[in-house]
Amino acid sequence: MTEESEGIMKGYVCKVCKFISINGSAPDKCPVCGAPRTAFEEKEDAIKTLKDENNLTELEKKHIPVITVVKKCGLIPEGCLDVHVKMGEIQHPMQAEHYIAHIDFYIDKEFISRVMLTPEKLNPAAALHLKASSGRLAAIELCNLHGAWIKETEL
Ligand SMILES: [Fe+2]
């Protein structure tokens, strides 16, 4: 399958844990694994993004995160905003040879959380309970075969 039609986004990629900084610079220290700035590599094609939202490719349908924001939390009744993310519009496989390895979450381009996923044990999805009630949420998922994909939404 061709990848020519996909959108591409720049990022600074940690060589150790594959965290991607999207705020325009490499951090002093990787917020996920603690690696130093020297472990980061600037990549013009670090992340794949949706090119035409009215005409998704098969690969985009399996990889672009689908984000659902739930305003009322069943667990923490006050001051909690639930974010549910799944991959993707067509469910991505979670097999030993092809799976989603992790999902990294950001608010206003700053890292807030990583959810690690284990193939065969978990579905390609995660949820967070946010204190924040506004801002721009981004989710970047890493597929072991097809790379990193991003979706952003306003809270
Ligand atoms: Fe994949």
Side-chain angles (χ1 to χ4, degrees), residues 4-15:
E4 282 168 3
S5 64
E6 287 153 17
I8 293 295
M9 207 175 125
K10 177 183 159 168
Y12 294 81
V13 184
C14 175
K15 287 182 215 164

Side-chain angles (χ1 to χ4, degrees), residues 106-134:
Y106 307 71
I107 291 180
D108 295 332
K109 301 194 185 298
E110 299 301 330
F111 172 79
I112 56 166
S113 181
R114 166 171 290 187
V115 176
M116 305 284 298
L117 297 176
T118 303
E120 285 164 351
K121 306 284 185 198
L122 293 168
N123 284 312
L128 289 187
H129 296 270
L130 299 182
K131 279 176 166 289
S133 57
S134 65

Side-chain angles (χ1 to χ4, degrees), residues 29-142:
K29 199 176 133 186
C30 176
V32 174
C33 74
R37 184 186 291 268
T38 50
F40 281 80
E41 201 176 5
E42 185 178 351
K43 282 193 176 167
E44 290 301 324
D45 59 351
I47 314 159
K48 297 183 186 78
T49 181
L50 201 57
K51 197 169 185 193
D52 175 4
E53 65 180 296
N54 297 314
N55 189 17
L56 272 73
T57 64
E58 180 90 0
L59 214 55
E60 286 173 338
K61 283 181 184 168
K62 281 188 183 156
H63 291 92
I64 298 280
V66 176
I67 302 175
T68 308
V69 179
V70 184
K71 300 282 180 187
K72 196 80 187 160
C73 175
L75 203 56
I76 298 168
E78 292 300 318
C80 194
L81 203 145
D82 291 3
V83 171
H84 297 188
V85 173
K86 66 171 183 175
M87 275 62 63
E89 191 178 306
I90 296 174
Q91 194 166 313
H92 189 280
M94 283 300 280
Q95 294 156 351
E97 64 279 4
H98 185 201
Y99 60 95
I100 306 299
H102 64 242
I103 313 169
D104 285 341
F105 294 87
Y106 307 71
I107 291 180
D108 295 332
K109 301 194 185 298
E110 299 301 330
F111 172 79
I112 56 166
S113 181
R114 166 171 290 187
V115 176
M116 305 284 298
L117 297 176
T118 303
E120 285 164 351
K121 306 284 185 198
L122 293 168
N123 284 312
L128 289 187
H129 296 270
L130 299 182
K131 279 176 166 289
S133 57
S134 65
R136 190 162 178 80
L137 181 98
I140 298 179
E141 64 94 343
L142 183 70

